[in-house]
Amino acid sequence: MKPLRPLRRPLAALTALAAAFALALPARAEDVHPADLPAVSCEAYIILDADSGQVLLEQNADERLYPASITKIMTLGLALQKADGDWSGQLTVPDEAVYSLVGTDSSHIALQPGEVVNLEDILYATQLASANDGANLLACYIGGSIQGGVEAMNRQAQALGLQNTHFTNPHGLMDTDHYTSARDMAAITRWALEQPGFETLFCRTDTWTMGPTNLQPETRYFGTDDWMRVGQEKYREYALGSKSGYHIDAGQTFVTLCQQDGIRLIGVLMKDVSKETKFADACALMDYCFENFERAEAPSGDASALSVPVKGGGDELGSVSVAAGWPTVLLHRQNLEAALSTRFELPQCWVLGTEPGGSRVVTVEGGAWQSDAEARYPVEYTGLESVLESARGVRLEASQTPLSPWGIAAGAAAGLAALAGLWKLAKTWRRRARPMGPEPGLTFIRREWLPGPTIRLKESGEARGLDSRPLNPRR
């Protein structure tokens, strides 16, 4: 792997030449900084519209940096995708979920090999307590082992088209080959928000209680340390959810979801100096966006002559038309006359039983006030009912069977049932084949829960507010 930061030791003459050449080039999107934009301490950030993906502001958004525990957004997203809304299952903790963390001095909830835990508890432990043993267990749930879970994470990154992301673990502990960028992490967060229950998990502020298990008689409590939601000076009513991360090489990292006046934003900050500056930067950038950006109508584009062929059973059954749309974009109040244009990206065909796909893309010229960006909205289609009705009862040469919507649905359901049976059988075999080892000598960390944003640490027994806790806990 190439170093994240190549050494730069140019001669003075070359530096001057490069600077002169740069002045002749148009400003890149990430170099656009409005005069009133607040200064920040983080190395990289990006703020974008959660609905359309339109970037409002960015700085070094494509730089490869270490994510620390915001890695867990991908882990949680995949676990929730697999659970598909059913969090009632139970998991048995394997050896590797615990022993792989020995010597790392990282955040954990003292899981033990052989402990039977509720999936829901582990989801909240991984999100709220940033439990690395919880993330390991979820990776095993996703892919049958930690490595299998990591491979699924990298496959999903490839499916999202991410160019600056590679995972080596499910929790974010330091590894030189474990990296992402602010832009990629924003894309991961947008995808995760589409998974069943992720927003509920991501936005929980109240303490979560995990009851005793077969190996742990103590009750465990998990709570958020997001100062934008439970703090005082940095509290923001518009803050909905977040995930934090930290280790020495990554610095402070942060992903936040915020909403105000119909504008829903995702913010990603990477390599910040301290916990205090991280929240200060996030507040400053989000305050700026909510104060200066507003939603505006965009040209819908000429969709009257656009259509997509529909195929089923190997044959073309007809076509559907692109429906009218009313896209919007976010514009800086000093850029309300920005040049906007719309185009369509349509699939070659729509195969029944799959998502139709297609995007309505609005291009925004940011000028000196915001990033040049694209807002993407899924295309909607009309005329499918007519296509299905015209194909009812038709015999296809490829299959020689009548085609109907009910037949398609029945075939898809049978295939899914067969795959589910194979998956259940494979999980049972892996569980029986997995060896169990001795219990590790982990000490369960007890923290007494108190109402509100105050915690009591066992070590000192002294009550402290969230804003007075150590700025750089290891996550």
Side-chain angles (χ1 to χ4, degrees):
M1 171 193 168
K2 295 181 179 179
L4 293 179
R5 293 184 177 216
L7 294 175
R8 299 179 181 131
R9 296 178 179 175
L11 297 174
L14 291 178
T15 303
L17 180 62
F21 180 71
L23 291 174
L25 296 176
R28 298 176 300 166
E30 61 265 31
D31 293 331
V32 175
H33 289 98
D36 56 346
L37 186 67
V40 294
S41 302
C42 58
E43 173 79 11
Y45 69 79
I46 192 168
I47 311 294
L48 54 76
D49 180 7
D51 297 324
S52 70
Q54 178 197 344
V55 177
L56 307 187
L57 300 170
E58 60 183 292
Q59 174 178 294
N60 301 326
D62 294 309
E63 182 178 357
R64 289 183 177 182
L65 296 168
Y66 302 124
S69 279
I70 59 176
T71 296
K72 296 181 175 82
I73 293 176
M74 174 65 91
T75 309
L76 289 164
L78 287 171
L80 292 170
Q81 182 184 64
K82 179 176 179 178
D84 195 24
D86 182 4
W87 300 4
S88 62
Q90 290 189 318
L91 308 175
T92 300
V93 180
D95 291 2
E96 63 171 338
V98 175
Y99 286 121
S100 62
L101 297 175
V102 172
T104 63
D105 189 30
S106 63
S107 55
H108 63 83
I109 57 168
L111 292 177
Q112 301 180 50
E115 187 174 0
V116 179
V117 294
N118 296 326
L119 172 61
E120 187 175 33
D121 288 334
I122 298 305
L123 291 170
Y124 279 109
T126 304
Q127 165 63 22
L128 297 174
S130 203
N132 290 343
D133 49 358
N136 280 345
L137 181 55
L138 290 180
C140 295
Y141 169 68
I142 295 163
S145 65
I146 293 178
Q147 183 59 36
V150 172
E151 290 172 359
M153 294 166 69
N154 285 317
R155 284 195 300 270
Q156 184 59 46
Q158 292 176 356
L160 293 173
L162 307 184
Q163 300 297 314
N164 295 300
T165 296
H166 183 262
F167 298 112
T168 62
N169 61 64
H171 38 64
L173 286 178
M174 175 59 192
D175 187 304
T176 56
D177 205 27
H178 186 99
Y179 53 82
T180 189
S181 67
R183 191 186 312 279
D184 285 3
M185 184 51 63
I188 291 171
T189 304
R190 285 192 71 212
W191 165 81
L193 285 165
E194 298 174 354
Q195 308 315 311
F198 181 85
E199 188 166 344
T200 299
L201 189 72
F202 197 63
C203 298
R204 185 179 180 90
T205 301
D206 295 338
T207 299
W208 180 262
T209 302
M210 177 179 177
T213 68
N214 62 319
L215 296 180
Q216 178 53 258
E218 301 286 348
T219 298
R220 291 171 261 205
Y221 303 98
F222 317 132
T224 182
D225 63 350
D226 181 357
W227 293 3
M228 294 179 71
R229 289 186 285 152
V230 298
Q232 298 172 9
E233 178 186 353
K234 306 298 190 301
Y235 177 81
R236 295 295 187 273
E237 188 173 351
Y238 57 64
L240 299 181
S242 67
K243 186 74 191 78
S244 288
Y246 170 78
H247 62 65
I248 293 176
D249 296 281
Q252 290 282 344
T253 61
F254 189 54
V255 178
T256 181
L257 174 67
C258 302
Q259 181 171 315
Q260 181 173 281
D261 298 330
I263 297 177
R264 185 176 167 89
L265 302 179
I266 292 172
V268 180
L269 289 74
M270 299 190 71
K271 201 163 189 179
D272 218 322
V273 177
S274 69
K275 189 171 184 176
E276 185 172 9
T277 59
K278 172 181 70 178
F279 287 116
D281 288 350
C283 289
L285 290 169
M286 286 298 179
D287 287 349
Y288 180 88
C289 288
F290 285 128
E291 290 170 3
N292 289 282
F293 283 83
E294 60 184 63
R295 195 166 292 283
E297 293 184 1
S300 61
D302 185 9
S304 58
L306 298 177
S307 62
V308 173
V310 177
K311 290 188 175 181
D315 286 1
E316 185 172 319
L317 308 178
S319 63
V320 291
S321 300
V322 174
W326 295 269
T328 62
V329 292
L330 292 174
L331 298 179
H332 194 286
R333 290 193 169 92
Q334 299 296 327
N335 194 39
L336 296 180
E337 301 301 321
L340 307 174
S341 60
T342 301
R343 72 178 190 276
F344 292 89
E345 296 179 354
L346 301 178
Q348 292 183 346
C349 68
W350 177 5
V351 178
L352 291 178
T354 66
E355 291 294 327
S359 299
R360 188 189 308 262
V361 185
V362 182
T363 301
V364 180
E365 292 188 10
W369 295 100
Q370 64 187 97
S371 295
D372 293 342
E374 292 182 344
R376 290 178 172 267
Y377 292 94
V379 170
E380 296 184 357
Y381 301 93
T382 61
L384 179 61
E385 296 82 359
S386 299
V387 171
L388 295 178
E389 183 61 32
S390 64
R392 188 183 300 275
V394 174
R395 289 185 175 274
L396 304 177
E397 294 182 3
S399 62
Q400 296 298 316
T401 57
L403 174 69
S404 72
W406 302 110
I408 294 171
L416 289 175
L419 289 174
L422 290 173
W423 176 249
K424 184 176 181 181
L425 181 63
K427 285 204 308 180
T428 301
W429 180 84
R430 280 196 303 269
R431 186 163 54 246
R432 291 176 178 174
R434 185 181 298 126
M436 301 303 295
E439 297 181 4
L442 293 178
T443 302
F444 177 59
I445 302 174
R446 297 183 57 187
R447 292 185 173 90
E448 178 182 349
W449 174 78
L450 297 175
T454 300
I455 63 172
R456 187 180 302 276
L457 302 182
K458 178 184 177 185
E459 291 82 354
S460 64
E462 175 187 357
R464 293 189 287 175
L466 285 175
D467 290 346
S468 64
R469 289 181 293 172
L471 295 182
N472 289 323
R474 189 175 178 89
R475 308 294 290 176

